[in-house]
Amino acid sequence: MKRIVRLLGVVIVLLLLAVVALPFLIDPNDFRPRLESELSKALGRDVKVGDLKLALLSGGVTADNLSIADDPAFSRTPFLYTRSLTLGVDLWTLIVSRQLHITNLTLDQPQIDVLQSAAGDWNFSSLGGKPAAHSQTAASPASPASSGREMNLSVKLVKIANGHISFAEPNSNVKSRELGNVNVEVRNFSANSPFPFTLSAKLAGGGDIQLNGAVGPINPVDTAQTQAKVNVKLSGFDIAAAGVGTSAGLAGLLSVNGIAAWNGRTLYLNGHLKGEQLKLAKNGSPAREPVEFDFEVNHDIRKRSGVLRRGEIHIGSAAVSLTGTYVAQGEVGAVNMSLSGPEMPVPQLAAMLPAFGVVLPAGSSLQGGTASAKLSFAGPVEALVTDGSLGLSNTRLTGFDLGSKMSTVEKLAGIKTGPNTEIETLAATVHWAPDGSTIQDIKFVAPALVELSGGGTISPSQALDFKMRATLHTGGAALAMLGAKNAAGVPFTIEGTAENPVFRPDMKGIASQEVHNLEKDTVGKAASGLLDGVFGKKKK
């Protein structure tokens, strides 16, 4: 028994001596030329590895730095650079046969620059395809080197720790998109079969993104066409802080849960988006209610365009359908969308009005009833043009007395005053654009007012210029003076601002109307009686 113990002790001592002596017996830099050569052949790019050292405690080899060249058609700076690289190696094989077998690889704080040209090509498309120019031989046109070849590389575990990834377009003024604190883990990596991965990162300006799924096998001709299926989770993305849509005035916090599938040509994405404190116009303010959006998108990454096949917007219990196409160009992009929302509860929608810069009269709010909308959106997001129709039914504009606001017009139309304005029906066609808006074909029916009709414009500064007509109420003080045939309406204007509208009788319009309706010999008398009624002048 003692002999066995002594023997084990001798073996342990010899092993310890071997481990201690290993750095003096084996210089890992002897393997560096071969390592650079094999990686360069596998990736099809120049790969440079820094000074190698044995890390006995971790069972591996460390390198001072690693750089992978970019596609020269995109950039002369490295596609990937890291100051620290750790290679997990099979130490027994290294000791016995002096061969370097890599089992895992960790990149510490790498910088990765992802570029996409205006034509839609990616700078990583050629990774693993054709070998770097310096390593190409005089191969015949039919050789694998000239037609693309499969990457011969497999590693049990690949990690990226605290990396940084930028996404940009060469020679473009569009700000690059940044991911920081990037942590990636790939297990059982092989170019010839699918492999699982996880990714977590911080978005520039705030927010977190998490991805997990499977990628592969690597496309031997174009790495960018490698198939993938990924679960996507985005939380706390601050639109304004990230610099997205600054020129369009966009702001708010977004979160997304979805599934993305990439077949090498089209990205299929379906999921659920939630937006909070949204601001969707330059003159808007944060919405009081969150917006939820269920969607299905087919996106062509090369063309940077896509189709929103299904879009369901939910604002509380209000539901809206949104479909159409888009192009991701410039800072935000351009859209061609259609929106349809029938029978939507007004209170939930009213909470979204500030986000679009829609202003109600000061101190007023919409209560109860339903709304309908059928709109189209076209053009760049920062200069969007909206056309369509809007409607309200059985709602109330509280805190706004339309009768008293119309002042002298009420004497003509018989409008009853009160603290609120009851809206039986309101319908209009709208056109919203950066240079101003128009609202036409207005039909406003209220129990106390009978009907208002007309149209006008709203300037970018919310200045109003409307020409309207009020259908005469049978109780109107001036109805007897104007005659029953004038029940067609009393013209008036709306000026001022959306927050503080000013209603005035259109005296020129009224006079013109009387000229057509009265006999010549009674024009003066009727006009005099009309003005007396409007301005409250007493008869002598």
Side-chain angles (χ1 to χ4, degrees):
M1 185 66 182
K2 291 182 179 180
R3 184 177 297 177
I4 296 175
V5 172
R6 289 196 189 98
L7 183 59
L8 288 174
V10 171
V11 171
I12 292 172
V13 171
L14 290 175
L15 287 174
L16 289 174
L17 289 173
V19 169
V20 172
L22 189 59
F24 302 99
L25 299 175
I26 299 176
D27 183 0
N29 285 296
D30 294 340
F31 301 96
R32 186 168 60 184
R34 183 178 177 182
L35 179 62
E36 291 178 336
S37 176
E38 290 298 322
L39 288 174
S40 297
K41 289 178 182 178
L43 298 176
R45 303 277 182 89
D46 279 334
V47 177
K48 298 296 182 183
V49 180
D51 186 53
L52 298 176
K53 299 182 179 68
L54 281 176
L56 298 178
L57 295 179
S58 60
V61 175
T62 62
D64 288 342
N65 56 67
L66 167 75
S67 67
I68 300 175
D70 205 341
D71 185 328
F74 287 83
S75 172
R76 296 294 178 181
T77 60
F79 165 71
L80 180 151
Y81 175 79
T82 181
R83 292 182 179 276
S84 177
L85 168 70
T86 301
L87 302 173
V89 299
D90 186 338
L91 285 178
W92 183 255
T93 304
L94 182 64
I95 295 171
V96 174
S97 59
R98 297 178 65 84
Q99 293 182 352
L100 188 65
H101 287 178
I102 300 173
T103 58
N104 58 74
L105 183 153
T106 300
L107 304 175
D108 186 33
Q109 302 183 50
Q111 170 66 46
I112 303 172
D113 295 328
V114 178
L115 303 174
Q116 185 182 26
S117 70
D121 297 318
W122 295 91
N123 64 336
F124 61 85
S125 290
S126 58
L127 275 174
K130 294 181 181 181
H134 81 281
S135 60
Q136 292 182 6
T137 59
S140 65
S143 70
S146 63
S147 60
R149 59 187 179 85
E150 294 185 353
M151 183 191 302
N152 183 21
L153 181 65
S154 61
V155 182
K156 290 183 179 180
L157 179 64
V158 178
K159 286 185 176 183
I160 291 177
N162 197 25
H164 185 275
I165 304 177
S166 67
F167 299 85
E169 179 182 322
N171 305 316
S172 172
N173 293 326
V174 178
K175 185 179 178 180
S176 63
R177 306 299 180 210
E178 310 288 331
L179 290 180
N181 195 25
V182 179
N183 294 284
V184 180
E185 185 173 295
V186 176
R187 293 191 175 275
N188 301 317
F189 171 80
S190 172
N192 304 315
S193 61
F195 50 87
F197 82 100
T198 61
L199 178 149
S200 65
K202 296 283 186 182
L203 295 150
D208 301 284
I209 185 170
Q210 295 179 355
L211 307 177
N212 68 83
V215 178
I218 302 295
N219 187 298
V221 177
D222 185 347
T223 302
Q225 294 184 9
T226 299
Q227 297 184 12
K229 188 171 183 180
V230 182
N231 297 309
V232 180
K233 183 177 182 180
L234 173 69
S235 59
F237 176 58
D238 191 321
I239 299 173
V244 177
T246 303
S247 60
L250 303 183
L253 300 175
L254 298 181
S255 60
V256 177
N257 279 286
I259 298 175
W262 167 245
N263 65 3
R265 299 177 302 278
T266 304
L267 178 67
Y268 300 92
L269 179 63
N270 69 81
H272 179 81
L273 178 149
K274 184 176 182 180
E276 298 178 279
Q277 303 174 39
L278 290 180
K279 187 168 82 74
L280 303 173
K282 292 180 181 179
N283 60 340
S285 57
R288 299 187 299 271
E289 290 282 342
V291 175
E292 302 195 43
F293 185 44
D294 295 307
F295 60 90
E296 288 184 22
V297 174
N298 293 356
H299 181 74
D300 188 320
I301 289 183
R302 185 176 181 85
K303 295 180 179 179
R304 306 183 204 186
S305 62
V307 178
L308 176 60
R309 298 177 58 225
R310 178 180 66 89
E312 297 174 0
I313 303 172
H314 300 277
I315 308 168
S317 58
V320 182
S321 172
L322 180 69
T323 57
T325 61
Y326 63 89
V327 178
Q329 57 182 217
E331 186 183 276
V332 180
V335 301
N336 189 352
M337 299 275 181
S338 296
L339 178 147
S340 177
E343 299 297 320
M344 301 175 290
V346 166
Q348 280 81 13
L349 295 178
M352 281 299 298
L353 294 180
F356 292 98
V358 177
V359 178
L360 295 176
S364 68
S365 63
L366 288 167
Q367 301 293 331
T370 60
S372 62
K374 197 169 185 65
L375 303 170
S376 65
F377 310 95
V381 173
E382 61 267 26
L384 199 62
V385 175
T386 303
D387 290 287
S389 61
L390 296 173
L392 291 174
S393 296
N394 302 315
T395 190
R396 177 186 296 115
L397 185 60
T398 63
F400 182 76
D401 182 355
L402 181 60
S404 63
K405 288 288 184 180
M406 292 179 71
S407 186
T408 55
V409 180
E410 69 167 309
K411 297 180 181 180
L412 294 174
I415 302 169
K416 296 180 181 179
T417 61
N420 306 314
T421 298
E422 302 291 337
I423 302 173
E424 184 176 302
T425 302
L426 173 60
T429 59
V430 298
H431 172 83
W432 288 318
D435 58 351
S437 306
T438 61
I439 303 178
Q440 299 294 343
D441 304 321
I442 296 174
K443 182 179 180 181
F444 180 102
V445 179
L449 187 63
V450 181
E451 183 176 321
L452 298 180
S453 59
T457 63
I458 305 175
S459 75
S461 61
Q462 299 292 324
L464 307 179
D465 184 10
F466 281 79
K467 295 188 180 300
M468 304 292 294
R469 186 174 294 273
T471 299
L472 296 180
H473 192 278
T474 55
L479 182 58
M481 289 183 291
L482 295 176
K485 54 188 172 183
N486 289 287
V490 175
F492 66 96
T493 62
I494 306 176
E495 299 172 349
T497 65
E499 189 174 12
N500 187 25
V502 178
F503 297 78
R504 292 191 177 96
D506 184 356
M507 301 311 299
K508 182 182 290 187
I510 293 173
S512 177
Q513 178 175 291
E514 286 306 300
V515 168
H516 290 337
N517 291 336
L518 301 176
E519 296 294 334
K520 290 183 180 180
D521 58 352
T522 62
V523 168
K525 181 179 180 181
S528 176
L530 171 64
L531 293 174
D532 288 346
V534 169
F535 296 108
K537 184 176 181 181
K538 294 182 179 180
K539 294 182 179 180
K540 294 181 180 180

